Amino acid sequence: YCAAKWNGKLFVGTNQGVFYITENELTSPNVLSKMKMITGTQGQVWDLKVIDDRLYCGHNKGLKEILPNLSIIEPYPIGTGIYTISEAKIQDKDLLILSTYQSVKIIDKKSKEVFSPGQISEPINNAEVDHLGNIWLEHFNRGVYRCKLDDGLSGFRSFSYYGGNNKDSLSYKMKLFKVGGRIVLLGDSKFYTYDDIANKIISNTVLDKCFETISYIK
């Protein structure tokens, strides 16, 4: 599901846990048989991310951190499964953004506080922050949200919903990612982007043209 190189090792996240191998073993014969599981990571692993030279693990049982000696700690009390981990600077604060089984969690890296904006209490399997400080949330199986955090980080000042059950002609299920630092949405093999001047979702004609001969894009 994910992988990261850190501290002279390659770490691989699977549905059984996190496995690792030293970089100098990567060219040896039967390389997969040399991989070892890290005790304490058993279960579904969704994401591995190196942030501030720390290795975080998005896990079915919450947020874990793998230390250089390969022991495991839980650096923040999250209390639910984590799909993705990303970092962002919003309101001059350095944040971790976690998409989780129960909406999104915001961590202030300096104060170490964990915030749970309450307006959206649904599974979110991806989160991205755009150049305007909007947090985009991909619902587990329908639509996306564009959200603006309030000054206290504990809630959303405003949010808009696209796709899903809306009558906005957008696909029911939308995938969320970034291209060139800009938010891009993909649904039914069509690409979209956010026009912040018009404040609406528009077709991404460049990407549509690139993939016009291909169906069922993932």
Side-chain angles (χ1 to χ4, degrees):
Y1 290 87
C2 51
K5 285 174 71 175
W6 176 72
N7 206 34
K9 299 178 180 68
L10 172 68
F11 298 83
V12 177
T14 75
N15 62 358
Q16 299 176 44
V18 178
F19 293 78
Y20 76 95
I21 188 170
T22 61
E23 287 192 48
N24 58 17
E25 290 180 296
L26 284 172
T27 55
S28 62
N30 302 316
V31 62
L32 291 178
S33 66
K34 297 181 185 298
M35 301 195 79
K36 303 178 184 69
M37 178 183 278
I38 298 178
T39 302
T41 65
Q42 291 90 335
Q44 175 68 59
V45 177
W46 296 111
D47 198 14
L48 288 167
K49 207 56 74 61
V50 178
I51 296 174
D52 301 327
D53 201 33
R54 298 168 67 178
L55 180 56
Y56 292 103
C57 171
H59 195 280
N60 188 57
K61 295 181 179 177
L63 182 65
K64 299 179 181 290
E65 182 180 350
I66 301 171
L67 301 181
N69 65 1
L70 302 181
S71 61
I72 303 299
I73 63 171
E74 294 194 12
Y76 302 98
I78 302 301
T80 186
I82 309 293
Y83 287 117
T84 64
I85 308 156
S86 58
E87 57 181 334
K89 194 175 192 73
I90 301 176
Q91 302 171 13
D92 292 324
K93 295 177 181 176
D94 293 314
L95 308 176
L96 294 179
I97 312 292
L98 310 179
S99 63
T100 83
Y101 293 14
Q102 301 173 3
S103 189
V104 64
K105 303 282 186 180
I106 312 292
I107 297 171
D108 186 324
K109 290 199 288 183
K110 184 176 181 181
S111 70
K112 302 190 184 310
E113 290 180 274
V114 180
F115 299 94
S116 303
Q119 295 98 321
I120 299 171
S121 56
E122 302 172 282
I124 299 296
N125 69 334
N126 192 17
E128 294 279 5
V129 178
D130 68 15
H131 63 294
L132 299 171
N134 295 307
I135 299 179
W136 291 77
L137 307 177
E138 179 187 323
H139 190 281
F140 184 75
N141 60 15
R142 57 175 174 80
V144 297
Y145 294 91
R146 177 176 56 86
C147 311
K148 203 79 168 177
L149 279 170
D150 63 25
D151 292 338
L153 305 181
S154 59
F156 294 126
R157 184 189 313 158
S158 61
F159 65 87
S160 301
Y161 179 54
Y162 307 100
N165 293 318
N166 272 354
K167 296 178 180 178
D168 54 13
S169 76
L170 294 172
S171 303
Y172 185 84
K173 170 66 176 164
M174 309 277 284
K175 295 297 293 181
L176 166 67
F177 53 100
K178 269 184 171 179
V179 174
R182 293 300 181 107
I183 294 295
V184 173
L185 307 176
L186 170 64
D188 293 335
S189 297
K190 296 293 183 184
F191 293 91
Y192 304 89
T193 193
Y194 174 59
D195 183 334
D196 51 271
I197 296 175
N199 190 29
K200 65 179 182 179
I201 303 292
I202 61 173
S203 294
N204 188 315
T205 53
V206 174
L207 286 175
D208 278 345
K209 187 163 183 60
C210 287
F211 296 93
E212 63 185 349
T213 62
I214 302 173
S215 301
Y216 309 113
I217 301 169
K218 296 178 71 174

